[in-house]
Amino acid sequence: MFSVESAKVASMVEKALFVRVAVPSPLRRLFDYRVPPNFPALVPGMRVRLPFGRGDVVGVVVALSDHTEVAPGKLRSVSACLDSAPVLTPELMELLTWSARYYHHPPGEVFAAALPVLLRQGRAAELPQISTWRLTLTGMDADESELVRAPRQRDLMQLLRKYDALSREQLDEHLGQWREPMARLMARGWVEVQHQDQTTVCAEPSSPGGLDLNPHQQAAVGAVADSWGHFQTFLLEGVTGSGKTEVYLSLVERVLARGEQVLVLVPEIGLTPQLVQRFRDRLSVPVAVLHSGLNDQERLNHWLQAGRGEVGVVIGTRSAVFTPLLRPGFIILDEEHDPSFKQQEGFRYSARDVAVRRAQLLSIPVLMGSATPSLESLYNVQQGRYQVLHLPERAGGAQRPYIQVLDVRNQPMDESLSRPLIKTIDGHLQQDGQVLLFLNRRGFAPTWLCHGCGWVAQCPRCDAHLVLHEKRQRLRCHHCDTDIPLIRHCPQCQGEEFRPIGHGTERVEQAVQNRFPHVASDRIDRDTTRRKQALQQRLDQVHSGQTRILIGTQMLAKGHHFPDVTLVALLNVDHGFYSSDFRAAERMAQLVVQVAGRAGRGDRPGRVLVQTHHPDHPLLQLLITQGYGAFARQALLERQAAQLPPYSYLALIRAEATDRDQPMTFLKEAAELSSRFNGGRVMVMGPVTASMEKRAGRYRAQLLLQADDRPSLHKLLAPWIIALEGLKSARRVRWSIDVDPVEVF
Ligand code: ADP
Ligand code: ZN
Ligand code: ZN
């Protein structure tokens, strides 16, 4: 007996497998585990529960292996398999593996980022079940006189005879306590229960069909439609209001007709409810929308349904780029220039670049749309990597707005409104036009100054001024969560006279109310839209015409269609052209054009005024007189001359700590260590302190890497980052790597 047993064990050990698992951990590697005998068969993409450190975690199997380098004494075993089939398809596994490698980010965190929270926590990958109870054939012929002493079972039988099938809700409604008698009826074999997945029902489209496309739109649709089943990146460069969304819809209909699914990525769903509505109104398939308002269960449901092919279209923000799709056919990325596609913390990926990579892995086309394409994408067009499609005119007869610079030097100003601007506002109001005033700074004033001694209210946790929020009588930091009552006694001179310096949207609103006391005005910024539905309500009042003057931040720049806005004014664009960030001019130009695009979208022509103290700035002049395309060509030449992206490739190592010296110490060691791996093709610049050194109580510093080609950069990064993990000084700081950073200051 004994020998037979041990032979059995031996053969199992022989068969024993190992798995490489992506475990949520800050370490940049996979972890090997032993698969116990008699364990369900594991496949890459399945989740497993594992012992890790002193805890117990959920990881994703990345590979199977018949050997391991880990010493037998150190090797631990998988404790449970959580899936009967992979939750991540081979395609997503490949995309995630590529992402971890490209962004040099710990694979466990990359895989975790792709999973809905509930799956990360180990919940079953199942849709909620809807149960219904019905009579069995035996039950139908049953003799109820058997139930004389079981009145509740009898009641239940009568109810089941009356209805074909009953759900939990219906039973709750008709009978108080039905579970116990139901169990007894089921034990008799008279009742059976059926479980069905909850599925999405799709309302009939309210406006199927769509518009007749104009020739430019037709050409764009035709070009993309020629590429189904192939990888190709298209850039749809269309002025605001040129009908890009119509092009998307027309293409989506074609993909759906092929029986395939579409992934649509947008910057912020909350800011563009109109886009989602247009998709729902037009299409006769379920549209899953992944937005921040969903609870964890809803998010999981949409995710699973997308993976099972039960929804035709998935619309989502950045992280939706990792949504599983059963029959992916096409990817659309709207407003591709938008910085929100880049995640700025943790796993710092660019959803735009990952989307292009995904399309390549899938051999499907990807379409990126914008009125103001990023310089990177325009460069890719120049290089022949992206195919550009133009929509040069506004669709539906609307004219392009007329943009004019307003030189405010030496002009008398009423707060931040120049006299010519006030006159123009008045004129447009008289003609029944709506007016939109744009200022990218919320609060009342960015500085709270003691008039007696010049003391300025400073955030105790950041190198930043506190911003005056006058309505709430608070001083707030816009970089951390500091929020304190208004300071009325100067801590330096005991003076009591304070001045707000500079202008925010709250102050502009007040100035407008003083100037136009009988005109309904409103303000849209993060402060007035915190409450759920607040944004929608405020937007509705603009659409209904109730609001005549609208003041707001960049929240207003995106996608909104206000047909009766005839005047748009940008109150201050100067900072964008004089910032130390090399992308500032590009951002400001995009903002000017996007905000300007809100003007004159209806029948009446729009006018746009740009207030500035630097009316002769060459890039601003080029933008205003010749448009975004001319601006972008010039800006690209300047980038080339300075060897900045897209003409070079950057990565940034950031470090922060509560101790001022630690980040610098770590980064200096890191810089020294880099020479061991650097073939001389990567410039290592710094370390330097961040432009705002202290933020939220931590001191920050950074090291910038620049290379002429991508491979050199990655060749240095790969071994160097691993070596950094081993540095002692690394343990005293929080550090991160940002490949293709969008903010380098
Ligand atoms: P974009 O996405 O480029 O801002 P939209 O697709 O929202 O543009 O179109 C702007 C406006 O023009 C919308 O009101 C839309 O209904 C209208 N429009 C678009 N295409 C056409 C067309 N081919 N014929 C008539 N109107 C159109
Ligand atoms: Zn003072
Ligand atoms: Zn702060």
Side-chain angles (χ1 to χ4, degrees):
M1 282 302 282
F2 179 73
S3 64
V4 174
E5 271 299 316
S6 56
K8 228 184 202 170
V9 171
S11 80
M12 275 179 198
V13 170
E14 238 172 59
K15 268 198 281 175
L17 269 176
F18 305 99
V19 276
R20 303 244 139 93
V21 186
V23 175
S25 126
L27 294 175
R28 285 169 175 79
R29 57 190 191 83
L30 301 173
F31 293 84
D32 285 6
Y33 280 82
R34 183 189 292 120
V35 182
N38 294 327
F39 207 72
L42 290 174
V43 177
M46 283 183 179
R47 293 169 305 148
V48 282
R49 199 174 277 288
L50 322 143
F52 190 73
R54 254 169 275 148
D56 167 82
V57 298
V58 174
V60 177
V61 175
V62 175
L64 311 175
S65 169
D66 54 9
H67 68 279
T68 176
E69 316 275 89
V70 181
K74 291 204 165 167
L75 197 65
R76 302 172 83 176
S77 295
V78 178
S79 34
C81 172
L82 298 174
D83 297 309
S84 52
V87 286
L88 293 169
T89 56
E91 171 247 328
L92 275 177
M93 296 292 290
E94 195 175 348
L95 184 69
L96 292 167
T97 303
W98 174 84
S99 302
R101 211 179 303 132
Y102 184 85
Y103 292 104
H104 299 274
H105 197 73
E109 290 186 5
V110 171
F111 277 75
L115 292 174
V117 173
L118 292 179
L119 293 188
R120 243 180 272 167
Q121 294 169 347
R123 185 79 75 82
E126 281 166 7
L127 289 169
Q129 301 265 301
I130 299 197
S131 309
T132 47
W133 285 262
R134 64 177 77 226
L135 292 177
T136 57
L137 286 177
T138 331
M140 287 177 197
D141 298 333
D143 177 5
E144 279 178 40
S145 63
E146 284 182 37
L147 299 176
V148 276
R149 263 178 246 148
R152 286 192 299 157
Q153 287 183 53
R154 209 184 44 214
D155 292 350
L156 201 47
M157 281 300 285
Q158 278 163 9
L159 201 61
L160 288 161
R161 281 195 202 283
K162 201 157 135 201
Y163 298 94
D164 190 35
L166 284 162
S167 68
R168 189 167 295 146
E169 291 74 26
Q170 289 168 315
L171 285 160
D172 284 340
E173 200 181 302
H174 288 286
L175 291 175
Q177 303 197 328
W178 54 270
R179 284 176 192 276
E180 196 252 291
M182 186 70 88
R184 289 185 186 273
L185 290 177
M186 287 170 75
R188 287 176 189 271
W190 291 3
V191 176
E192 63 187 0
V193 61
Q194 285 185 334
H195 304 289
Q196 239 177 350
D197 288 351
Q198 180 186 317
T199 51
T200 318
V201 279
C202 173
E204 280 296 301
S206 59
S207 62
L211 305 163
D212 288 334
L213 299 182
N214 66 36
H216 292 295
Q217 289 171 317
Q218 279 172 22
V221 168
V224 180
D226 272 345
S227 67
W228 301 140
H230 305 284
F231 168 60
Q232 170 73 47
T233 309
F234 295 94
L235 178 67
L236 181 63
E237 187 177 2
V239 298
T240 52
S242 58
K244 292 186 290 297
T245 313
E246 279 305 313
V247 170
Y248 302 156
L249 283 165
S250 171
L251 287 166
V252 169
E253 283 172 338
R254 287 159 191 249
V255 179
L256 294 173
R258 291 165 52 86
E260 293 171 341
Q261 294 169 287
V262 185
L263 176 63
V264 183
L265 300 173
V266 295
E268 271 161 282
I269 287 172
L271 299 184
T272 51
Q274 290 167 9
L275 180 110
V276 172
Q277 201 50 50
R278 274 169 79 180
F279 272 71
R280 288 222 159 111
D281 287 349
R282 178 75 75 82
L283 306 171
S284 53
V285 297
V287 175
V289 181
L290 297 167
H291 59 84
S292 54
L294 296 181
N295 65 34
D296 290 342
Q297 185 66 53
E298 290 168 324
R299 184 171 294 275
L300 173 62
N301 295 352
H302 286 323
W303 197 87
L304 291 172
Q305 287 179 330
R308 296 178 185 194
E310 288 168 14
V311 296
V313 178
V314 175
I315 304 181
T317 45
R318 190 171 58 218
S319 63
V321 72
F322 297 113
T323 311
L325 297 165
L326 187 67
R327 300 177 305 273
F330 187 36
I331 301 176
I332 295 173
L333 204 118
D334 191 29
E335 310 288 7
E336 67 86 28
H337 63 277
D338 197 289
S340 76
F341 282 121
K342 169 86 184 196
Q343 175 135 316
Q344 303 278 19
E345 58 197 35
F347 172 27
R348 292 168 165 81
Y349 65 98
S350 154
R352 179 187 66 201
D353 298 346
V354 173
V356 172
R357 179 69 195 171
R358 188 168 184 192
Q360 188 181 27
L361 290 173
L362 288 168
S363 292
I364 61 172
V366 51
L367 174 68
M368 311 196 290
S370 177
T372 53
S374 62
L375 296 185
E376 274 86 357
S377 292
L378 290 172
Y379 174 74
N380 279 322
V381 169
Q382 284 180 4
Q383 298 295 304
R385 279 197 285 268
Y386 294 0
Q387 184 180 336
V388 69
L389 308 164
H390 289 285
L391 300 181
E393 287 155 21
R394 280 196 162 177
Q399 293 166 26
R400 285 176 78 165
Y402 169 53
I403 306 185
Q404 202 183 358
V405 168
L406 247 182
D407 180 0
V408 294
R409 287 175 302 184
N410 280 317
Q411 288 284 332
M413 305 285 281
D414 181 351
E415 298 296 346
S416 46
L417 311 174
S418 66
R419 203 162 282 169
L421 174 59
I422 291 172
K423 243 180 99 189
T424 315
I425 294 176
D426 212 21
H428 279 260
L429 292 174
Q430 308 255 337
Q431 309 263 313
D432 271 339
Q434 279 171 308
V435 173
L436 200 158
L437 302 178
F438 174 84
L439 181 64
N440 219 1
R441 183 182 274 153
R442 65 200 167 84
F444 188 86
T447 301
W448 185 233
L449 173 93
C450 168
H451 190 52
C453 72
W455 179 85
V456 165
Q458 188 84 28
C459 175
R461 309 178 65 219
C462 305
D463 292 331
H465 293 176
L466 289 172
V467 178
L468 169 64
H469 285 251
E470 155 130 307
K471 277 236 163 80
R472 296 183 188 273
Q473 294 284 296
R474 311 282 294 179
L475 291 172
R476 280 191 191 153
C477 175
H478 288 186
H479 304 282
C480 71
D481 47 15
T482 297
D483 182 345
I484 59 171
L486 204 53
I487 294 171
R488 295 177 195 283
H489 297 273
C490 175
Q492 192 165 280
C493 76
Q494 319 309 323
E496 296 190 357
E497 200 183 336
F498 280 83
R499 296 274 156 87
I501 308 293
H503 299 92
T505 45
E506 228 184 77
R507 193 169 196 171
V508 173
E509 184 184 29
Q510 197 182 72
V512 166
Q513 282 165 355
N514 291 339
R515 267 285 165 180
F516 305 96
H518 304 298
V519 178
S521 58
D522 197 10
R523 169 163 60 97
I524 291 189
D525 58 25
R526 263 206 285 146
D527 296 317
T528 65
T529 54
R530 268 180 226 281
R531 205 167 34 83
K532 222 178 164 182
Q533 298 300 319
L535 174 65
Q536 197 49 51
Q537 283 165 4
R538 296 200 128 90
L539 288 174
D540 288 346
Q541 287 180 356
V542 181
H543 287 289
S544 73
Q546 197 180 327
T547 303
R548 305 312 303 171
I549 304 179
L550 181 61
I551 300 126
T553 55
Q554 63 182 359
M555 284 180 89
L556 292 180
K558 296 175 184 173
H560 302 290
H561 186 63
F562 305 127
D564 293 328
V565 168
T566 56
L567 174 65
V568 167
L570 293 101
L571 301 186
N572 183 358
V573 297
D574 290 348
H575 130 96
F577 290 100
Y578 294 91
S579 159
S580 55
D581 184 343
F582 74 87
R583 284 183 218 269
E586 177 186 355
R587 295 262 180 274
M588 190 46 72
Q590 288 164 345
L591 212 52
V592 168
V593 175
Q594 296 285 347
V595 175
R598 303 310 117 209
R601 291 174 69 97
D603 305 333
R604 291 186 284 176
R607 186 157 176 214
V608 180
L609 294 178
V610 180
Q611 287 195 153
T612 174
H613 283 93
H614 304 279
D616 303 323
H617 190 283
L619 282 177
L620 181 61
Q621 274 304 322
L622 204 57
L623 178 68
I624 306 275
T625 56
Q626 293 178 48
Y628 184 81
F631 160 86
R633 277 191 293 280
Q634 183 58 34
L636 271 173
L637 287 177
E638 291 183 8
R639 293 267 184 97
Q640 185 171 25
Q643 273 304 293
L644 286 166
Y647 297 92
S648 66
Y649 301 89
L650 301 181
L652 201 58
I653 312 272
R654 294 190 181 88
E656 57 172 57
T658 48
D659 179 287
R660 184 175 222 137
D661 299 328
Q662 301 289 5
M664 276 304 222
T665 307
F666 163 66
L667 290 175
K668 274 184 199 146
E669 275 183 44
E672 266 164 43
L673 194 62
S674 74
S675 56
R676 203 185 298 170
F677 309 102
N678 193 352
R681 299 182 63 91
V682 181
M683 250 196 326
V684 179
M685 291 172 276
V688 293
T689 55
S691 67
M692 183 193 294
E693 187 184 6
K694 192 168 116 190
R695 194 169 76 188
R698 296 174 160 271
Y699 293 90
R700 309 179 308 146
Q702 61 190 40
L703 196 61
L704 183 66
L705 312 171
Q706 185 180 32
D708 290 341
D709 61 300
R710 242 191 250 290
S712 305
L713 187 61
H714 287 280
K715 227 168 106 191
L716 164 62
L717 284 174
W720 182 43
I721 296 294
I722 299 293
L724 288 184
E725 285 182 348
L727 284 184
K728 243 197 193 129
S729 55
R731 267 166 253 154
R732 303 206 184 94
V733 298
R734 244 190 236 165
W735 66 279
S736 63
I737 170 149
D738 192 349
V739 175
D740 305 330
V742 293
E743 275 172 16
V744 291
F745 290 94

